[in-house]
């Protein structure tokens, strides 16, 4: 036989690739997309604008404090589309105020005119707030879902203000949405006034509600057989927020209904104690996500604990406790995309695409062998290699297999032999011109390669565009398409050439060669 | 068949190119006309809304379902059959009808009256209208990106002349594919856009193989008779063009007939795209090189004349 050294090395490489591939295929399992295994996928949009607004309000408070220290009196501060407008009682102090602002608030850009000062966050600061908010939101969601234990979820930031939550398997979607979508911002606020109808409450304030108060609605309750809802006028600035929460657990309220007991951190307990001391006889609204859950009257100084009552079921109370424990989301979120796929549909999708794959492979394979005889057979082996390597690449890079992804693999069967067809047709052409098989083979591969290379690049350009946009399933398609096309360059040219060099040696096979 | 088209035929493609142009031009005009009059049946991905896919134990008719939905005030819901078994339907409701939970609740309530325990909800999808319009924009950007990428790549590897001739047929393929989707009222969703992007890459693949041969033949013979060279190159590649389109069609047809409902529109877009992509690389792309060249040459001549 006496193979050349060069050929031996090539053979060794192929052998190693084969062994490696089999090892990978046996040890790793593919990650199935939700469209194949069933499950729920939710995309949340985080209301970052709200966070920025809140930050402006906070900074306004700090500014007022610093001004006071410097004997500057602030008449008003107002949020005007993304800037904070400050008006001083004494306009002659503007220069001094600007000086204070520049010294104390490096995160602000300060601009002044004759009668007012406008400040806004620097781009760096805005960016920091956004990144921080998103990071915190992802962390909080992970925390919440982890506490439920049973769910294995994938939580990831997507774009600038989106978070993708994917939970495989069958679960109660409504409950999942309640867990994920609740901001769970707990605030305890001082009640100034309340009434059983909005109009009645507003009537008392013909000039509008004062700036430091806000109107909140309570929960519906049944009193003497009638459904009523109380409305509250509360102070905007909360006494305590959920950030000072140490723990939350389910308990029973006085009437024996499910409720949630919470405990504050030591810092929170101190503030709370001081505040409740002053508020004895007044009502304290327990506000969850902007809605008053209950508003008990403070009878005595309270320090570290409180109770949230509402018309909860045991499960709801449980979930609320978990959410409170995990912490509030730094900003309100809304669901902008949601998909739930039943497991039977997923299974059916796999079965059907597998069928399509087998049909595609059989048709293409038979045709190749018919048209190119032995060479066609070699191309089919190369195709098998191609599919195997594609599969191995998916496993190695942990690429999630999706339904369009499988479609990409099937497409790869038909488009993948393209390289071989270009070369083989070229060989046939050269043979037709009367050249020997050996020469035709060399020429065919040499002349065909350029065209194959160029044409593959264009498919990869299209696949890259797909990777940039589109939802998760489509990214799966882009992945299989681009990797498959790439591997093609190797299998259709290098591998096929090598196998043909081995097989088309003897003259007796000549007429079956191609 | 074993050696079909190995010997290059001698068809004068350039002579009949005007017929090709005429066919292409008419198809383009019809497609554009359809865009503006009939429009597209845009899928949930672009419009936003809630879609619920329900599978029943026995075949059902859409006319049986509609009155049930009316009772829960979902009169304007879009009901479509899914698959060929007549057992599965998709109900689509716009976002104005409330959150997905409310919609699903209402649909369940409506179906329980008549079919309690005899159906299974297989898929729920909700897309915010805002996200839908974002996706539409992203689709357009990515198609533009592919055009630009291809223009630059072909311009770099070949000649600007070739790049122009390569990109025009791509518009042709994309527009005609969309035109056919408009004509048959098939829903256009993200997978269809993905198919169109794939077709752009694929159609160019065909074109490039022909261009490569033209380049090779020019090198051998010089630019003396571009017309003959182009004709010869198309003819020499005819067998290969037909065969690779054929094998690709095998795969796409397998997807179309066996791949299941979710991939059906995707496969259809590929099917149309591949057929027109093959056609356009023979009848549009290669002849265009000649046209662009002629155009340039006549301009050079004019400049020379005016310079005298």
């Amino acid at each position: 036989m006496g193979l050349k050294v060069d050929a031996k090395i090539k053979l060794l490489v192929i052998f190693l690739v084969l062994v490696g591939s089999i090892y990978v295929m046996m040890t790793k399992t593919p990650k199935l997309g939700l469209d194949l295994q069933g499950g729920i996928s939710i995309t949340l949009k985080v209301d970052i604008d709200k966070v920025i607004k809140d930050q402006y309000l906070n900074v306004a408070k700090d500014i007022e404090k610093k001004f006071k220290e410097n004997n500057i009196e602030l008449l008003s501060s107002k949020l005007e589309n993304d800037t904070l407008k400050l008006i001083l009682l004494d306009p002659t102090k503007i220069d001094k105020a600007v000086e204070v602002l520049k010294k104390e608030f490096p995160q602000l850009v300060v601009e002044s005119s004759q009668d007012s000062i406008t400040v806004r966050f620097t781009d760096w600061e805005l960016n920091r707030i956004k990144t921080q908010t998103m990071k915190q939101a992802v962390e909080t969601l992970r925390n919440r879902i982890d506490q439920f234990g049973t769910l294995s979820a994938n939580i990831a930031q997507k774009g600038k203000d989106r978070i993708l939550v994917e939970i495989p398997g069958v679960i109660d979607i409504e409950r999942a949405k309640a867990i994920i979508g609740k901001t769970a911002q707990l605030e305890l606020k001082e009640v100034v006034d309340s009434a059983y109808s909005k109009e009645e409450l507003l009537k008392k304030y013909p000039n509008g509600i004062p700036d430091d108060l806000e109107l909140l609605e309570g929960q519906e309750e049944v009193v003497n057989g009638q459904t009523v809802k109380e409305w509250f006028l509360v102070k905007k600035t909360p006494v305590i927020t959920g950030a000072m929460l140490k723990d939350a657990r389910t308990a029973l309220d006085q009437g024996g209904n499910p409720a949630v007991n919470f405990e504050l951190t030591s810092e929170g307990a101190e503030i709370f104690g001081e505040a409740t001391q002053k508020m004895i006889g007044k009502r304290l609204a327990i506000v969850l996500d902007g809605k008053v859950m209950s508003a008990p009257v403070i009878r005595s100084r309270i320090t570290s604990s409180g109770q949230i009552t509402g018309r909860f079921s045991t499960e709801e109370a449980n979930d609320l406790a978990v959410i409170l424990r995990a912490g509030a989301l730094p900003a309100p979120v809304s669901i902008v995309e949601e998909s739930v796929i039943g497991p039977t549909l997923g299974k059916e999708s796999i079965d059907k695409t597998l069928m399509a794959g087998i049909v595609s492979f059989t048709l293409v394979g038979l045709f190749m062998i018919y048209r190119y005889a032995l060479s066609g057979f070699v191309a089919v082996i190369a195709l098998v290699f191609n599919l195997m390597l594609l599969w191995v690449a998916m496993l190695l890079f942990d690429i999630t297999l999706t339904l369009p992804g499988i479609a990409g693999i099937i497409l790869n069967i038909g488009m993948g032999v393209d390289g071989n067809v270009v070369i083989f047709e070229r060989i046939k052409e050269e043979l037709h011109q009367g050249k020997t098989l050996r020469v035709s083979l060399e020429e065919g591969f040499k002349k065909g390669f350029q065209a194959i290379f160029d044409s593959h690049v264009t498919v990869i350009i299209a696949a890259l565009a797909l990777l940039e946009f589109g939802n998760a399933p489509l990214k799966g398609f882009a992945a299989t398409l681009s990797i498959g096309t790439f591997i093609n360059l190797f299998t259709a040219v290098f591998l096929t050439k090598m196998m043909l060099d081995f097989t088309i040696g003897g003259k007796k096979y000549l007429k079956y060669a191609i | 068949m074993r050696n079909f088209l190995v010997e290059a035929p001698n068809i004068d493609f350039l002579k009949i190119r005007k017929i090709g142009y005429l066919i292409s031009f008419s198809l383009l005009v019809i497609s554009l006309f359809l865009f503006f009059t009939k429009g597209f049946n845009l899928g949930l991905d672009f419009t936003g809304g809630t879609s619920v896919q329900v599978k029943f134990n026995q075949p059902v008719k859409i006319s049986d379902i509609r009155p049930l939905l009316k009772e829960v005030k979902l009169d304007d819901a879009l009901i479509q059959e899914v698959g060929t078994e007549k057992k599965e339907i998709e109900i689509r409701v716009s976002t104005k009808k409330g959150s997905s939970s409310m919609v699903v609740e209402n649909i369940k309530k409506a179906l329980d009256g008549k079919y309690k325990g005899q159906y299974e909800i297989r898929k729920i999808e909700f897309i915010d209208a805002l996200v839908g319009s974002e996706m539409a924009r992203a689709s357009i950007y990515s198609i533009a990106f592919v055009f630009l990428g291809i223009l630059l790549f072909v311009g770099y590897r070949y000649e600007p002349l070739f790049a122009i001739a390569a990109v025009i047929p791509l518009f042709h393929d994309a527009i005609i594919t969309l035109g056919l989707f408009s004509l048959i009222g098939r829903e256009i969703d993200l997978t269809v856009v993905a198919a169109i992007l794939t077709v752009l890459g694929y159609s160019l693949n065909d074109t490039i193989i022909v261009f490569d041969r033209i380049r090779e033949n020019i090198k051998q013979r010089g630019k003396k008779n571009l017309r003959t060279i182009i004709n010869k190159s198309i003819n020499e590649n005819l067998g290969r063009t037909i065969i690779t389109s054929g094998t690709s069609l095998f795969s796409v047809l397998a997807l179309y007939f066996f791949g299941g409902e979710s991939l059906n529109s995707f496969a259809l877009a590929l099917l149309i795209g591949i057929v027109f992509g093959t056609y356009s690389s023979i009848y549009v792309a290669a002849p265009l090189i000649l046209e662009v060249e002629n155009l340039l040459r006549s301009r050079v001549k004019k400049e020379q004349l005016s310079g005298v």
Side-chain angles (χ1 to χ4, degrees):
Chain A
M1 265 297 266
L3 287 171
K4 282 186 217 151
V5 181
D6 183 38
K8 275 185 184 162
I9 293 173
K10 279 182 185 167
L11 205 59
L12 188 69
V13 169
I14 300 293
F15 180 71
L16 288 177
V17 169
L18 194 64
V19 170
S21 298
I22 291 171
Y23 175 75
V24 172
M25 285 193 288
M26 284 175 61
T27 50
K28 293 196 78 164
T29 43
K31 263 208 315 212
L32 293 185
L34 288 179
D35 55 347
L36 293 179
Q37 61 171 320
I40 114 171
S41 140
I42 292 177
T43 305
L44 299 162
K45 184 176 187 299
V46 180
D47 189 353
I48 287 187
D49 288 346
K50 166 98 178 9
V51 178
I52 291 171
K53 229 184 205 164
D54 287 349
Q55 292 288 329
Y56 269 120
L57 294 179
N58 281 340
V59 107
K61 254 190 261 167
D62 293 345
I63 289 175
E64 194 176 353
K65 217 163 120 194
K66 279 282 173 239
F67 277 6
K68 235 177 222 161
E69 285 170 18
N70 288 285
N71 285 322
I72 304 167
E73 263 181 285
L74 190 62
L75 185 67
S76 76
S77 63
K78 223 182 189 172
L79 199 57
E80 271 176 9
N81 33 333
D82 294 345
T83 55
L84 198 60
K85 192 171 180 185
L86 307 169
I87 294 176
L88 303 182
L89 192 64
D90 179 2
T92 58
K93 287 188 177 169
I94 281 188
D95 287 345
K96 194 179 169 199
V98 169
E99 201 179 299
V100 171
L101 286 170
K102 284 197 167 150
K103 194 175 144 220
E104 302 283 344
F105 299 93
Q107 77 272 37
L108 296 175
V109 178
V110 184
E111 273 160 23
S112 61
S113 69
Q114 284 202 324
D115 53 356
S116 69
I117 306 172
T118 54
V119 296
R120 61 186 157 81
F121 287 124
T122 58
D123 291 344
W124 192 88
E125 178 68 8
L126 280 176
N127 215 354
R128 191 193 64 82
I129 294 172
K130 285 178 191 167
T131 338
Q132 188 74 23
T133 306
M134 290 308 290
K135 218 171 118 188
Q136 211 178 322
V138 170
E139 276 312 303
T140 309
L141 286 176
R142 186 161 296 144
N143 232 330
R144 281 185 193 178
I145 289 173
D146 280 352
Q147 294 221 20
F148 281 91
T150 50
L151 314 174
S152 65
N154 166 33
I155 304 154
Q157 185 174 341
K158 187 180 154 195
K160 270 182 294 184
D161 59 352
R162 310 280 158 93
I163 296 173
L164 175 71
V165 181
E166 288 180 315
I167 310 173
V170 216
I171 53 150
D172 180 351
I173 165 118
E174 286 314 315
R175 189 166 168 222
K177 268 158 76 177
I179 295 164
I180 294 163
K182 258 209 189 87
T183 316
Q185 206 151 57
L186 181 73
E187 289 165 317
L188 307 183
K189 291 180 169 179
E190 188 179 330
V191 177
V192 176
D193 208 343
S194 71
Y196 276 96
S197 96
K198 195 176 174 181
E199 292 71 32
E200 202 183 311
L201 192 57
L202 288 176
K203 233 190 285 173
K204 298 185 199 167
Y205 298 90
N207 298 328
I209 308 168
D211 264 357
D212 59 335
L213 301 184
E214 63 182 339
L215 182 73
L216 293 179
E217 67 183 301
Q219 284 202 307
E220 280 180 353
E221 48 192 324
V222 182
V223 179
N224 299 331
Q226 270 193 316
T227 314
V228 288
K229 192 196 266 179
E230 199 173 3
W231 290 79
F232 298 88
L233 211 52
V234 301
K235 286 205 170 152
K236 257 187 194 166
T237 318
V239 179
I240 291 280
T241 67
M244 293 172 185
L245 214 60
K246 194 168 83 184
D247 197 8
R249 307 207 162 270
T250 42
L252 295 179
D253 68 4
Q254 286 166 327
N257 299 311
V260 176
N261 280 351
F262 60 82
E263 214 175 297
L264 296 173
T265 59
S266 56
E267 187 203 358
E270 202 173 300
I271 299 170
F272 199 41
E274 209 172 294
T276 47
Q277 175 84 48
K278 284 186 213 155
M279 280 169 61
I280 291 177
K282 285 182 181 164
R283 290 175 80 187
L284 180 73
I286 297 173
V287 187
L288 186 69
D289 288 346
K291 204 168 175 185
V292 178
M293 302 300 286
S294 59
V297 177
I298 307 281
R299 306 241 175 257
S300 62
R301 181 187 159 103
I302 316 170
T303 50
S304 64
S305 62
Q307 187 176 64
I308 306 170
T309 57
R311 304 188 321 150
F312 301 128
S313 68
T314 315
E315 196 178 54
E316 278 168 351
N318 252 328
D319 289 356
L320 179 61
V322 165
I323 294 173
L324 285 175
R325 263 208 308 273
L329 286 172
V333 292
S334 55
I335 294 176
V336 289
E337 252 183 282
E338 167 197 334
S339 87
V340 187
I341 290 171
T344 57
L345 183 63
K347 174 83 179 57
E348 207 178 286
S349 300
I350 294 183
D351 292 347
K352 285 198 168 153
T353 42
L354 270 184
M355 185 65 199
I358 292 167
V359 171
S360 167
F361 186 85
T362 313
L363 286 176
V364 172
L366 286 178
F367 177 81
M368 290 300 282
I369 294 169
Y370 171 69
R371 172 100 186 170
Y372 305 115
L374 191 62
S375 304
F377 183 69
V378 164
V380 173
I381 295 175
L383 184 59
V384 173
F385 249 91
N386 177 2
L387 294 173
M388 182 188 77
L389 290 178
L390 175 56
W391 186 251
V392 167
M394 306 269 300
L395 289 173
L396 278 181
F397 299 132
D398 263 334
I399 295 167
T400 307
L401 192 65
T402 63
L403 185 57
I406 300 183
I409 296 177
I410 295 172
L411 221 53
N412 206 39
I413 296 173
M415 295 190 177
V417 291
D418 172 80
N420 291 115
V421 172
V422 171
I423 292 167
F424 293 169
E425 285 299 311
R426 199 75 201 228
I427 295 174
K428 280 195 170 206
E429 212 181 305
E430 301 287 330
L431 278 173
H432 190 77
Q433 286 171 13
K435 296 184 184 156
T436 65
L437 182 61
R438 173 63 41 201
V439 173
S440 301
L441 202 71
E442 294 299 328
E443 288 282 295
F445 273 92
K446 212 174 79 196
K447 288 180 178 166
F449 181 72
Q450 277 249 313
I452 295 168
F453 180 81
D454 287 350
S455 67
H456 278 55
V457 172
T458 60
V459 174
I460 290 177
I461 290 177
L464 284 182
L466 266 172
L467 264 185
E468 257 314 291
F469 105 112
N471 48 10
L474 279 193
K475 288 200 162 88
F477 171 66
T480 49
L481 187 67
S482 49
I483 297 174
T485 307
F486 199 74
I487 292 174
N488 247 320
L489 273 180
F490 167 74
T491 52
V493 182
F494 173 75
L495 192 66
T496 311
K497 174 79 168 42
M498 208 196 79
M499 285 194 285
L500 282 180
D501 283 345
F502 279 132
T503 46
I504 306 183
K507 270 205 170 114
K508 58 179 172 177
Y509 299 119
L510 195 63
K511 63 183 202 187
Y512 307 108
I514 191 161
Chain B
M1 195 43 199
R2 276 260 304 131
N3 282 313
F4 168 72
L5 283 180
V6 166
E7 186 175 2
N10 201 4
I11 307 169
D12 193 350
F13 284 104
L14 291 178
K15 198 175 173 190
I16 49 175
R17 72 182 189 277
K18 297 261 158 67
I19 301 172
Y21 292 159
L22 191 69
I23 295 172
S24 293
F25 187 73
S26 329
L27 287 175
L28 285 177
V29 170
I30 294 169
S31 296
L32 288 171
F33 177 75
L34 283 169
F35 290 0
F36 292 112
T37 53
K38 195 156 181 281
F40 300 113
N41 176 9
L42 289 180
L44 191 72
D45 292 339
F46 302 124
T47 59
T50 305
S51 136
V52 180
Q53 204 168 309
V54 188
K55 185 170 188 177
F56 296 88
N57 287 349
Q58 74 271 45
V60 289
K61 281 198 215 104
I62 288 178
S63 54
D64 291 343
I65 305 296
R66 199 172 292 285
L68 297 178
L69 290 179
K70 210 166 184 168
E71 281 169 33
V72 289
K73 293 192 177 136
L74 291 175
D75 315 46
D76 52 354
L78 189 83
I79 310 174
Q80 286 176 325
E81 257 174 37
V82 175
T84 46
E85 284 185 306
K86 310 248 176 229
K87 281 184 182 171
E88 205 160 352
I89 55 164
E90 185 202 333
I91 302 167
R92 234 170 81 189
V93 181
S94 82
T95 31
K96 282 175 229 137
K97 291 281 176 182
S99 72
S100 65
S101 317
M102 276 160 63
V103 169
V104 175
E105 242 0 89
N106 280 331
I107 290 175
K108 272 189 192 159
K109 215 191 291 167
L111 295 180
D112 274 348
K114 198 172 167 189
Y115 299 102
K116 197 169 175 70
Q118 295 172 41
Y119 69 90
E120 173 197 358
I121 291 190
R122 303 242 281 177
K123 187 164 155 191
I124 303 167
E125 268 184 307
F126 162 76
I127 288 169
D128 190 274
L130 176 85
V131 174
S133 63
E134 277 171 16
M135 283 193 186
R137 203 176 319 131
S139 307
I140 292 169
Y141 283 161
S142 49
I143 290 180
F145 171 84
V146 170
F147 274 112
L148 195 70
I150 284 172
L151 200 63
L152 289 177
F153 178 72
V154 180
Y156 168 73
R157 291 281 296 175
Y158 295 80
E159 282 178 54
L161 181 76
F162 281 39
I164 299 165
V167 170
I168 293 173
L170 297 185
F171 279 104
H172 169 270
D173 301 342
I175 290 172
I176 291 177
T177 308
L178 284 171
L180 267 164
F181 264 70
S182 171
L183 181 72
I184 57 176
R186 199 42 112 88
E187 196 171 289
I188 293 176
D189 56 15
L190 276 184
T191 64
V192 171
V193 177
I196 289 174
L197 283 173
T198 314
V199 164
L200 295 187
Y202 181 80
S203 162
L204 191 71
N205 175 327
D206 253 5
T207 308
I208 286 217
I209 304 274
V210 178
F211 280 13
D212 182 72
R213 188 61 77 96
I214 294 175
R215 183 169 62 176
E216 191 184 315
N217 286 337
I218 286 178
K219 259 187 217 152
Q220 276 178 10
R221 251 153 264 194
K223 235 179 190 177
K224 264 181 235 148
N225 196 342
L226 195 60
R227 190 180 190 284
T228 321
I229 287 175
I230 294 173
N231 236 342
K232 186 166 179 285
S233 306
I234 302 176
N235 275 301
E236 282 173 354
N237 266 311
L238 199 59
R240 175 265 154 196
T241 305
I242 291 171
I243 289 168
T244 50
S245 299
T247 57
S248 303
L249 276 182
F250 284 155
S251 294
V252 175
L253 284 172
L255 265 183
Y256 184 76
F257 287 113
F258 303 100
E261 198 48 41
S262 318
L263 291 174
N264 206 258
S265 292
F266 175 72
L268 182 67
L270 282 171
L271 199 66
I272 300 169
I274 288 177
V275 169
F276 280 96
T278 308
Y279 157 83
S280 74
S281 58
I282 297 174
Y283 284 95
V284 186
L288 269 181
I289 293 184
L290 193 65
E291 307 294 345
V292 180
E293 163 93 3
N294 284 343
L295 204 73
L296 288 179
R297 197 180 290 159
S298 68
R299 182 167 297 163
V300 171
K301 252 184 205 157
K302 261 184 213 156
E303 273 166 19
Q304 282 171 344
L305 282 176
S306 62
V308 172

